[in-house]
Amino acid sequence: MKRILLVTSLCLLTGLSFAQKKAVKDAKNAMRSNVSEARELIKPALTDAETSNDPDAWKVAGDIEFKAFDDERTLEMQKEITGKGGNEEAMYIGLYNMYDPYIKADELGELPDEKGKIKNKVRKDIVKNMRDGHRFYINGGVFYNDKQNYKKAADFFERYWELPTLAMFADTQADFNMQDTTYQTIKYYAIISSIQSKDHPRSIKLLKKIIAEPYIQNSTYKESDVYELLASEYQQVEDSASYVATLRQGAEKFPKNKYFTPNLINEFIRGGKTNEALAYLDQAIANDPTNTCDLMSVKASLYSEQKDYANAEPAYAKALAADANCERALEGLGVLYVLQAQDMKEKAGQSTNRREQAEMDKETTTLYTKALPYLEKYRDILKSRNADSLDVRPALMKLQNVYYNLSLLNIDKSKELEAIDKDLNAL
């Protein structure tokens, strides 16, 4: 009885195995006339234990999708002649769906047999079809981008990027000309589409991938652009450690870039790491002397915030020595003298010694007077470039404050105050 059951079980297993192999054959035959039917026929064979590791089964699955792609492509190419095109989206669905089965089939084909030999019988056809479809992944990406399906667009662009690097093309990778502008552009499009889809983990993965590859000069993006995008993505996912690390990397690699250093310094300042910010500013100025105006002004403002006026003043002076029209330094140095004047004014108000008060009033007058040429020049530059009223108004109010305080100290600034009032009213 047991023997009968065992024989019956073996027969059933053999029958199931045969059935799945027949399904592969039936799917292969069906795809010549009915792709939809072939798709259904091949599905069980891809999950059955007997055929799921058969490279032929996966190759047929890929062939079915390639046939779907190729049929619609042929109709599209004949459109001008026949007046009837194919189903463009169906074409791209087939192109997209052939990719994974073909890779799976090739991987299985590369496994050694029981004798330790590799006889990959499926690779030749797969390589031909994958190479044939490669350039159409660009078209698919553009198609879905136009539909604002950015995730799908990124899928297609990424496959165009990835395909030449597959193991099956190891010996013929040079044929793809991965150094050309088109290839570099599509890599970037894959990233931009992923960012537009708001898939931050994927965007970070792609950005790290493109950074790891050699940069090829092109007209679409600069090497520093991808570092900026990576930093921005880390900000989006609130990974502050990686954000700062990327800013550091970008600042060191691209010292003249205007994005990395200012943002890195801002991070130091935001984190209360003033000394680290000051040290990095010195390094940044050495790396990019052309940016001395902005960087030295930031350094001076850090000293000013700490009321370290002795170091702030020469720092602003260095910024102006590098650029006499450095707006941040003109405003900053003017404000620096105003702050000191206010401190002195408060001190004088607390003194009961008339002689001491007079000396301090004299020093206050000197400080307010020293502030004027810088604040006036700053105002004039803003006006000459038609700056936004949101920038001009604060500049005028600072000047108004200085003129008013000098008037209190018996320095006649009535004309200047009248002119400032008119300017403020006109905004």
Side-chain angles (χ1 to χ4, degrees), residues 128-320:
K128 177 181 177 298
N129 290 349
M130 290 282 265
R131 189 184 294 279
D132 187 23
H134 181 232
R135 63 192 175 94
F136 288 92
Y137 284 104
I138 299 177
N139 303 47
V142 172
F143 176 82
Y144 284 106
N145 184 75
D146 289 344
K147 291 180 174 294
Q148 297 185 339
N149 186 342
Y150 299 119
K151 181 188 179 304
K152 204 69 177 174
D155 290 341
F156 276 82
F157 290 138
E158 186 178 357
R159 290 196 167 181
Y160 179 87
W161 177 1
E162 181 185 66
L163 189 146
T165 68
L166 297 174
M168 67 180 77
F169 297 111
D171 298 330
T172 58
Q173 193 178 83
D175 295 345
F176 288 96
N177 192 15
M178 294 160 67
Q179 311 296 311
D180 75 353
T181 299
T182 299
Y183 188 72
Q184 304 309 315
T185 297
I186 300 308
K187 287 161 59 172
Y188 189 66
Y189 284 177
I191 291 166
I192 296 302
S193 297
S194 178
I195 290 172
Q196 287 178 302
S197 73
K198 301 189 188 306
D199 188 341
H200 303 300
R202 181 186 191 181
S203 302
I204 289 170
K205 182 196 75 173
L206 292 177
L207 283 161
K208 289 169 77 173
K209 179 181 177 182
I210 202 171
I211 285 171
E213 295 178 358
Y215 173 72
I216 307 298
Q217 191 74 34
N218 65 88
S219 58
T220 303
Y221 70 97
K222 303 189 296 293
E223 187 177 10
S224 59
D225 291 344
V226 292
Y227 286 84
E228 288 186 32
L229 290 172
L230 181 58
S232 177
E233 286 301 297
Y234 281 131
Q235 265 192 312
Q236 293 293 322
V237 297
E238 299 182 351
D239 184 347
S240 58
S242 296
Y243 173 60
V244 170
T246 304
L247 290 177
R248 280 184 183 273
Q249 190 179 8
E252 290 169 10
K253 193 173 180 67
F254 312 102
K256 296 182 187 293
N257 183 282
K258 308 298 184 189
Y259 174 84
F260 301 108
T261 298
N263 279 292
L264 183 58
I265 292 165
N266 285 339
E267 283 301 300
F268 289 147
I269 294 169
R270 191 177 293 115
K273 300 177 181 178
T274 303
N275 290 334
E276 203 166 341
L278 289 168
Y280 199 85
L281 277 162
D282 287 333
Q283 180 186 333
I285 292 166
N287 288 342
D288 184 15
T290 61
N291 203 20
T292 300
C293 160
D294 287 333
L295 295 175
M296 193 59 79
S297 295
V298 172
K299 184 178 180 180
S301 69
L302 288 175
Y303 283 131
S304 180
E305 286 173 10
Q306 296 177 316
K307 289 190 176 292
D308 185 354
Y309 302 135
N311 280 313
E313 186 173 351
Y316 278 128
K318 285 180 182 178
L320 289 169

Side-chain angles (χ1 to χ4, degrees), residues 4 47 54 69 107 112 118 142 206 211 229 240 261 272 331 353 361 373 400 408-409:
I4 293 170
T47 56
D54 181 0
F69 157 68
E107 288 174 349
I118 297 173
V142 172
L206 292 177
I211 285 171
L229 290 172
S240 58
T261 298
E331 181 188 27
N353 187 312
D361 284 346
Q400 185 184 50
L408 293 178
L409 292 162

